[in-house]
Amino acid sequence: MNVPEGYVHAIRLDESTVRLVHSDGTRLIASRAPDGRLWVDVIRPGEPTRRIVAEAVRSSSLGASRPESKPAERRVVAPTSGVLREYGVAIGDRVAPGDVVAVVEAMKMKIECRAAIAGTVRLVGAEVGTRVERGAFLVEIEPSGFSVNSTE
Amino acid sequence: MRIAIAAERLGVTSIAAVTPVDLDSRVVEHAREILRLPVSDAASTYLSLDALTKAIEDSRATHVHPGYGFLAESPALARAVARAGAVFVGPTETVLTEMASKFASKTFARDAALEELGLPFDDATGRIAADVRYPILLKADAGGGGRGNKLVEHPRDLPEAVASLRARATELFGDGTLLAERFLRRARHVELQIFGIFGRGVRVIDSRDCSVQRHHQKVVEEGPAPNRALAAIGPARLGVERALSRRGFRGAGTVELLYDEEDGKIYFLEFNPRIQVEHPVTEMRLGIDLVEWQLRESLEIGAAELFDELDAPRCHVIEMRVYAEDVEAGFVPDPGRIHVLERPTMPWARWDSAQRPGADVPPDYDPMIAKLAVLGATREEALIHARMALDHTHIHGVRTNLDLLRAIVGSDDFCADRHDIAWLDASKPTLAGSSFDLDLGPIHELFAVAPADAVGESRSVYAWKDAHRR
């Protein structure tokens, strides 16, 4: 396989996994998950291993080095796969940041899903009692009048 | 799986009793025969003794290994196995019954001359012996999990603490009965690996330390226990052996103890009559297979020679539990599909796992992916091996606690052996390291796909330790 510029070594371990060695000594294990995301473990001599998880990119935008910042979190999604136990809100309710809007149960733990912004509940997703996957849409919040653009 | 492999080595046919949900698990690949249990709900099937009894009767099974879970401690299962005409691999029903009862295990502690944490507290008068060392922990008898506990630092605070906790316990649980325990400010969790052979008695074969805990769950275990704790156990070791020998204990068990760093004394916690999660520490240290020992003891295959196969080991083993969890979100389990699983393959590293790439970490079970154990000639060498082994472990697809494990085995406190059971929750060790910048472009290109196949826009890159707060 082609060795990218700046790297001395690249071996494809299987269809979705590559082991790379950078010219500065950094070792990388990179893989593409079934959902398209890129997972990279970065191993530098004398430093703890680091992990990067990056969204998939279109081929056309390859080479863009800086990603855009995330938009304000209007949507509350399931933090983990599990069973949706209850909603803490109904459509039309006003919520403040940190309010519990839903509870997902996984491995006998009840995990509270909280609103990131202040606003009004406009939509709810899955039905209570059903299985939800990680990242599944639970609640959509319409931001209140004042600015809620988070800058991370 | 371990049981099936040990049986194969001994030339014994193994039959796995599994529910439909476990039919694709690894035990099925290794067992010589499969016995399907009828019900589909895991929670109810393994508990259904009638179904198990019938399965044992229908098969030609002569011995039944209960696994490593709570069934291994079940007197009811031991009874059901005997009723079905087979031998239960483990202690007798009588011993299991005694250990299942809190009150009776107190008798065991007394027999073994082990001190307990409980103090002679007179609930009627709210008084305690004057010579008791403070601080003490007042507990509501009906409470649990830390609810309804009160720390009393000085004797003069006792009457008020008793009155207020009694009122709260009555309000919360409808029962104002109180207990008092010693409160250990700095304690180590140490344990003794026990093995009993029919006709040869019971021996303490090894020790471990499991003080790195989060919310009372063990995260890192090592063996042997620190010398100061072993010195404090001293003669109690013989007491334990005698007390268990007298009860005719057979097979593997663990005595769990607390070592008080302040007064240098040992206190009895509990006795578990089964193989524990951290048994690889002892297996690596002693070079034995405890599951095979259990079978050899029960099936009487060279059972009498087992103890003669031991010599005094001088090495150190550290075991780390790798969990699929989001540590920063408060140890929230992170089930999902593992698409990359690279494990260390050095001769001094052991990887116990039922997972492989492409496997799902199911949301309904314990999120443990693997137990990673490393052996070193000394504790220092084992620490170096632990750090190396972690850096050769790569799991993609779910979040893991690998960074936390790296932080633990790299921390000054753990390396200097001055941590205690409250350390991990209190100090939350993190990894130090300079920030870094990596151009992901060339790596994306390696996996370049046709635009139609790609998912979404380039939206966000969240890096290690980055605040990807939801």
Side-chain angles (χ1 to χ4, degrees), chain A residues 2-152:
Chain A
N2 292 332
V3 178
E5 206 183 314
Y7 290 83
V8 291
H9 197 59
I11 299 174
R12 199 172 275 275
L13 300 178
D14 58 48
E15 222 167 272
S16 61
T17 317
V18 175
R19 189 192 291 276
L20 295 143
V21 180
H22 196 268
S23 50
D24 68 5
T26 306
R27 290 188 296 133
L28 302 176
I29 303 267
S31 71
R32 201 171 65 119
D35 65 5
R37 287 195 300 175
L38 188 65
W39 291 64
V40 186
D41 284 2
V42 184
I43 308 120
R44 292 203 165 149
E47 294 226 17
T49 301
R50 309 242 174 143
R51 158 71 53 76
I52 300 170
V53 181
E55 296 296 329
V57 292
R58 280 207 187 116
S59 303
S60 58
S61 60
L62 282 176
S65 54
R66 282 292 126 210
E68 298 158 35
S69 71
K70 257 187 189 166
E73 285 288 14
R74 292 170 172 232
R75 291 155 72 91
V76 178
V77 299
T80 177
S81 304
V83 175
L84 178 63
R85 277 293 165 225
E86 59 176 313
Y87 283 111
V89 291
I91 292 176
D93 282 1
R94 293 191 62 82
V95 294
D99 284 359
V100 175
V101 296
V103 177
V104 173
E105 186 177 314
M107 299 180 214
K108 292 172 201 132
M109 286 181 66
K110 291 209 159 68
I111 298 142
E112 295 175 335
C113 313
R114 295 170 187 276
I117 57 167
T120 310
V121 175
R122 283 294 170 229
L123 273 176
V124 296
E127 221 166 286
V128 170
T130 59
R131 255 195 72 78
V132 290
E133 297 304 320
R134 180 170 79 199
F137 163 68
L138 297 177
V139 172
E140 181 163 316
I141 300 161
E142 187 181 284
S144 324
F146 53 86
S147 169
V148 290
N149 287 330
S150 72
T151 48
E152 290 199 47

Side-chain angles (χ1 to χ4, degrees), chain A residues 70 73 116 150 152, chain B residues 326-330 462 466-470:
Chain A
K70 257 187 189 166
E73 285 288 14
S150 72
E152 290 199 47
Chain B
D326 186 345
V327 173
E328 291 188 13
Y462 61 90
D466 220 283
H468 54 274
R469 292 277 72 101
R470 286 173 279 269

Side-chain angles (χ1 to χ4, degrees), chain B residues 123-298:
Chain B
D123 189 51
T125 61
R127 274 170 213 223
I128 200 159
D131 58 349
V132 163
R133 227 167 60 101
Y134 281 72
I136 62 169
L137 194 65
L138 273 184
K139 282 184 160 177
D141 194 19
R147 257 168 26 117
N149 286 358
K150 201 171 179 79
L151 189 64
V152 187
E153 300 272 1
H154 194 271
R156 64 164 180 265
D157 303 329
L158 185 65
E160 203 209 302
V162 168
S164 73
L165 185 60
R166 201 188 293 285
R168 191 145 54 107
T170 311
E171 190 192 310
L172 280 175
F173 316 114
D175 180 358
T177 313
L178 302 182
L179 305 168
E181 273 185 6
R182 282 183 183 85
F183 178 76
L184 312 185
R185 275 189 219 276
R186 293 199 57 236
R188 294 285 289 247
H189 179 114
V190 294
E191 51 188 43
L192 299 174
Q193 177 67 51
I194 306 297
F195 202 86
I197 299 171
F198 183 69
R200 290 279 315 256
V202 175
R203 277 218 211 153
V204 172
I205 58 171
D206 200 19
S207 67
R208 293 184 290 262
D209 179 297
C210 316
S211 300
V212 180
Q213 302 178 1
R214 52 110 164 142
H215 310 158
H216 302 289
Q217 186 171 31
K218 296 165 187 169
V219 178
V220 176
E221 297 109 343
E222 59 183 314
N227 279 330
R228 55 190 186 281
L230 291 177
I233 293 169
R237 184 184 174 122
L238 286 173
V240 166
E241 289 176 347
R242 266 203 300 269
L244 284 167
S245 293
R246 219 165 21 234
R247 285 165 171 77
F249 180 80
R250 302 177 66 163
T254 303
V255 178
E256 300 207 327
L257 306 161
L258 281 182
Y259 170 71
D260 186 347
E261 295 274 19
E262 288 184 346
D263 71 3
K265 279 162 85 172
I266 283 288
Y267 299 97
F268 175 71
L269 278 181
E270 59 178 355
F271 177 71
N272 294 324
R274 60 177 162 88
I275 282 209
Q276 307 224 125
V277 175
E278 56 272 24
H279 74 275
V281 171
T282 291
E283 292 190 330
M284 278 182 94
R285 248 173 66 70
L286 304 184
I288 60 170
D289 177 341
L290 273 174
V291 178
E292 189 185 305
W293 271 46
Q294 286 184 309
L295 293 181
R296 282 177 62 185
E297 196 281 327
S298 187

Side-chain angles (χ1 to χ4, degrees), chain B residues 401-422:
Chain B
N401 66 337
L402 282 169
D403 280 343
L404 177 71
L405 294 173
R406 289 186 187 102
I408 291 168
V409 297
S411 71
D412 292 345
D413 287 335
F414 184 72
C415 291
D417 201 22
R418 53 171 188 249
H419 59 290
D420 57 53
I421 53 174

